[in-house]
Amino acid sequence: MPRGDMAKPLLGRRNMESNPDLAPAAGRTVGILGSGDFARSLATRLVYSGFQVVVGSRNPKRCAGLFPSAAEVTGQADAAKKTDVIFVAVFREHYSTLSDLTDVLAGKILVDVSNNTEINHHKESNAEYLASLFPACTVVKGFNVISAWTLQSGPRDGNKQVLICCDNQEAKRTVAEIAQVMGFTPVDMGSLSSACEMENIPLRLLPAWKIPVFLALGLFLCFYTYNFIRQVLHPYIWEQKNKFYKIPVEVVNSTLPCVAYVMLSLVYLPGVLAASFQLHYGTKYRRFPDWLDQWLQHRKQIGLLSFFCAALHAVYSLCLPMRRSHRYQLINAAVKQVMEKKTDAWIEEEVWRMEIYVSFGIMALGLLSLLAITSLPSIANSLNWREFSFIQSTLGFIALVVSTLHTLTFGWTRAFDENQYKFYLPPSYTLTLLVPCTVILAKIFFHLPCIHQRLRRIRNGWEKGRYVKFTLPSATGEYSSGESSSNV
């Protein structure tokens, strides 16, 4: 990254003036033990955020040129004496090398930024291990989910959250102020016992994507096998035609829209099931089953995978005319037309069908692109809840309807043609219509005035079978209390 960009402050002067608590933190001296990549990036960001930085290294002369000129690079013992807040940027295996600094570090705040190479590699976290080595110090776990690249680029391009945990509230507040001055958002994770979970976070590979990815792969394999049987195996067995050239492109292109369409419907199906659950029990306070709760939490990932498959389908479709097999088929069709002495191959119905089919496909892909873009945190954070809900819910449902129209115009009347049933198997697009049409019909049902009003009352806190108190005037003019069921 250019040095000029690095020098740009992440918090403007106006932000510092609006929060006077940050001003003292910006001018304090901060120490760093270590001279690796993370230590260098951390020192650079601290310097340009207004801190006085002292770096402790075992070889200060050799490492001095690697750090900003404003940072003082000295020995570890000397650095520890000059500050009360010290970032420990060394590996767990090297903590023992700091044992000579026990007396110097006593009473100081040590910020452990280390991570492990494997999940739950040790019985205790690195921070807890560091605290056991230096019982006279206050250990804070933080900055371990921030990469060196994020420190260099700043929170404008990287993750803005800095997770912090400690048993001492004052030390936690001090480190949180430093993170704020650097332009990050501190997140309190509780006591130091949370350090083990924090150290596992950078090691997890897309934990929220496992179920959606396996779901997409499962659907792809099922539909691919189904299309292979219909498009390749059936002609080979019944007509002795070699259609195996379709495997790399055409069969894949027939499978991708099936997966994208079903995955899109699976984004909105759990909402339908949740509404049915609430209507059945007449309350919003009853917990959903675990499988439905997990399903609701994975809707974003399922939707993005749906968009990914739809985008691949668009690219594959554009590449179909470039295949050599398509050129040969086009030449054969032209020769056949000449042999049959046909002067016009125009079929009005097919022309209109394809025009409408392509138009619906483009609109569906455009809507899916909008849904995917607004699901990004940087975009979603700029929208209020009503805007976000309108795009993800209303426009998402419109995308499902348009995708259904795209599928129906593709099938047209071929669903009623017996020649389309290979091995008595219906075309794949007829199978994909089952779940989306169920979702669309359920959505329409829930928008009926009587159902919509009841569902809205439930979501506003009304419960079936709950008794409420009321008062009635008596014959003497006084009011008497009574009870009535709220579902009367």
Side-chain angles (χ1 to χ4, degrees):
M1 184 177 184
R3 189 179 181 85
D5 292 343
M6 188 66 166
K8 295 178 182 178
L10 297 176
L11 282 178
R13 185 180 302 275
R14 183 179 304 174
N15 291 338
M16 300 289 286
E17 294 174 354
S18 62
N19 192 350
D21 292 338
L22 298 182
R28 75 186 308 159
T29 301
V30 178
I32 301 175
L33 295 180
S35 55
D37 294 337
F38 189 88
R40 293 196 294 270
S41 300
L42 179 61
T44 306
R45 178 51 60 198
L46 286 170
V47 166
Y48 287 124
S49 296
F51 292 95
Q52 302 295 324
V53 179
V54 181
V55 180
S57 174
R58 289 176 294 179
N59 299 288
K61 294 183 179 180
R62 187 181 65 180
C63 300
L66 301 176
F67 289 87
S69 57
E72 179 185 354
V73 182
T74 182
Q76 292 181 340
D78 190 29
K81 295 176 182 179
K82 296 181 178 181
T83 177
D84 293 330
V85 180
I86 303 172
F87 285 84
V88 182
V90 298
F91 291 106
R92 176 189 176 113
E93 293 76 11
H94 301 154
Y95 285 172
S96 58
T97 62
L98 305 176
S99 58
D100 296 337
L101 307 177
T102 302
D103 295 335
V104 180
L105 294 176
K108 300 182 184 295
I109 298 175
L110 303 183
V111 184
D112 176 41
V113 301
S114 66
N115 285 311
N116 291 315
T117 56
E118 299 178 8
I119 295 178
N120 297 325
H121 186 58
H122 303 282
K123 293 182 179 180
E124 60 180 353
S125 65
N126 294 349
E128 291 172 317
Y129 175 62
L130 182 64
S132 67
L133 294 178
F134 300 95
C137 300
T138 301
V139 176
V140 179
K141 186 69 184 186
F143 287 84
N144 68 302
V145 298
I146 298 294
S147 65
W149 178 88
T150 300
L151 286 170
Q152 290 183 4
S153 303
R156 296 168 298 176
D157 300 321
N159 183 14
K160 296 183 66 174
Q161 291 188 339
V162 172
L163 308 185
I164 299 173
C165 72
C166 180
D167 293 332
N168 186 292
Q169 292 298 325
E170 184 63 25
K172 190 189 302 183
R173 187 182 70 84
T174 301
V175 177
E177 289 177 355
I178 294 174
Q180 271 191 292
V181 174
M182 295 171 68
F184 296 102
T185 303
V187 178
D188 190 349
M189 297 296 290
S191 64
L192 197 63
S193 59
S194 303
C196 186
E197 178 62 23
M198 288 174 54
E199 292 171 4
N200 288 335
I201 291 177
L203 301 177
R204 293 194 176 103
L205 179 62
L206 304 174
W209 287 85
K210 289 183 179 179
I211 295 177
V213 167
F214 280 119
L215 176 63
L217 289 176
L219 287 172
F220 183 86
L221 290 176
C222 290
F223 280 112
Y224 186 88
T225 303
Y226 191 86
N227 289 325
F228 172 79
I229 294 173
R230 284 178 41 82
Q231 299 179 21
V232 178
L233 200 58
H234 182 272
Y236 183 76
I237 294 177
W238 289 91
E239 303 173 16
Q240 286 74 49
K241 292 183 178 179
N242 187 350
K243 300 287 186 178
F244 287 91
Y245 67 88
K246 294 184 176 182
I247 292 177
V249 177
E250 194 164 334
V251 178
V252 173
N253 191 48
S254 300
T255 303
L256 287 172
C258 299
V259 178
Y261 186 35
V262 173
M263 292 284 284
L264 180 61
S265 65
L266 292 179
V267 174
Y268 298 97
L269 180 58
V272 170
L273 296 176
S276 303
F277 187 88
Q278 291 176 338
L279 284 172
H280 176 71
Y281 290 103
T283 179
K284 71 172 185 178
Y285 300 107
R286 187 184 180 96
R287 181 178 176 82
F288 293 137
D290 290 339
W291 60 269
L292 181 56
D293 190 53
Q294 289 290 324
W295 194 349
L296 289 167
Q297 295 178 24
H298 287 95
R299 287 181 295 177
K300 173 184 175 179
Q301 290 78 14
I302 295 174
L304 289 174
L305 288 174
S306 171
F307 167 71
F308 175 72
C309 292
L312 284 181
H313 170 56
V315 174
Y316 269 87
S317 298
L318 292 174
C319 294
L320 289 179
M322 296 189 297
R323 298 177 305 153
R324 185 68 63 182
S325 58
H326 178 80
R327 297 181 184 181
Y328 290 152
Q329 289 174 348
L330 192 62
I331 294 173
N332 292 339
V335 172
K336 183 178 180 181
Q337 183 178 339
V338 171
M339 296 295 293
E340 295 177 355
K341 297 182 180 181
K342 290 183 179 180
T343 57
D344 189 4
W346 186 278
I347 302 176
E348 188 75 14
E349 181 181 350
E350 279 297 302
V351 171
W352 276 100
R353 182 185 72 85
M354 285 301 299
E355 295 293 321
I356 298 173
Y357 162 71
V358 173
S359 178
F360 279 137
I362 294 173
M363 287 190 289
L365 183 59
L367 289 171
L368 284 176
S369 302
L370 181 62
L371 295 173
I373 291 173
T374 53
S375 67
L376 298 176
S378 58
I379 304 298
N381 292 337
S382 65
L383 303 173
N384 60 40
W385 171 247
R386 186 174 182 182
E387 294 169 340
F388 182 79
S389 177
F390 172 77
I391 294 174
Q392 293 294 326
S393 181
T394 305
L395 292 186
F397 179 69
I398 293 175
L400 181 62
V401 173
V402 173
S403 300
T404 302
L405 295 175
H406 175 66
T407 305
L408 290 174
T409 51
F410 173 78
W412 207 248
T413 59
R414 289 183 293 175
F416 308 102
D417 184 3
E418 62 180 10
N419 293 325
Q420 296 295 322
Y421 289 75
K422 313 295 185 181
F423 290 129
Y424 301 101
L425 299 176
S428 57
Y429 66 85
T430 60
L431 300 179
T432 61
L433 286 167
L434 295 176
V435 178
C437 288
T438 301
V439 173
I440 293 173
L441 292 176
K443 286 278 190 180
I444 295 174
F445 173 75
F446 289 143
H447 278 81
L448 294 176
C450 57
I451 303 298
H452 180 69
Q453 183 179 4
R454 183 180 178 87
L455 189 59
R456 185 175 60 182
R457 289 177 63 194
I458 291 174
R459 289 174 176 174
N460 287 337
W462 178 85
E463 292 185 86
K464 181 175 67 174
R466 184 184 62 182
Y467 286 88
V468 296
K469 292 185 177 181
F470 65 93
T471 57
L472 291 175
S474 63
T476 60
E478 299 178 352
Y479 285 85
S480 60
S481 63
E483 290 186 344
S484 174
S485 175
S486 65
N487 62 349
V488 176

